[in-house]
Amino acid sequence: MTKRIESIKKSIPNPFAQTLKQQVTLPLGIEVIEYFEEMAQEKGMFWQELINLYLEDCVASKRELSFDIS
């Protein structure tokens, strides 16, 4: 057995290598999807990634949505 294979077998699993994302299904309005698709295309990324980045920013800044339920 090579030293590389031996070191891999003896390695400790990385606790940060676990899945840090969970796939979900969200009903989004057409306008929302089109908005993020256009912005993502300008930035050269997928719209799903852009939505995730936006939501991560909301979490980091503890942004709260203001709306009126009448």
Side-chain angles (χ1 to χ4, degrees), residues 4-21:
R4 179 169 165 74
I5 293 173
E6 288 175 11
S7 69
I8 291 172
K9 285 186 175 185
K10 292 179 184 178
S11 67
I12 298 171
N14 181 348
F16 301 105
Q18 297 174 357
T19 302
L20 299 177
K21 293 183 180 182

Side-chain angles (χ1 to χ4, degrees), residues 36-45:
F36 279 100
E37 282 178 333
E38 184 177 323
M39 196 184 322
Q41 189 173 25
E42 292 172 6
K43 301 196 179 300
M45 59 192 320

Side-chain angles (χ1 to χ4, degrees), residues 49-67:
E49 291 175 310
L50 188 58
I51 290 174
N52 188 60
L53 287 172
Y54 181 79
L55 293 174
E56 285 176 354
D57 182 61
C58 290
V59 171
S61 64
K62 298 184 184 202
R63 187 173 300 128
E64 290 193 28
L65 180 62
S66 61
F67 60 95

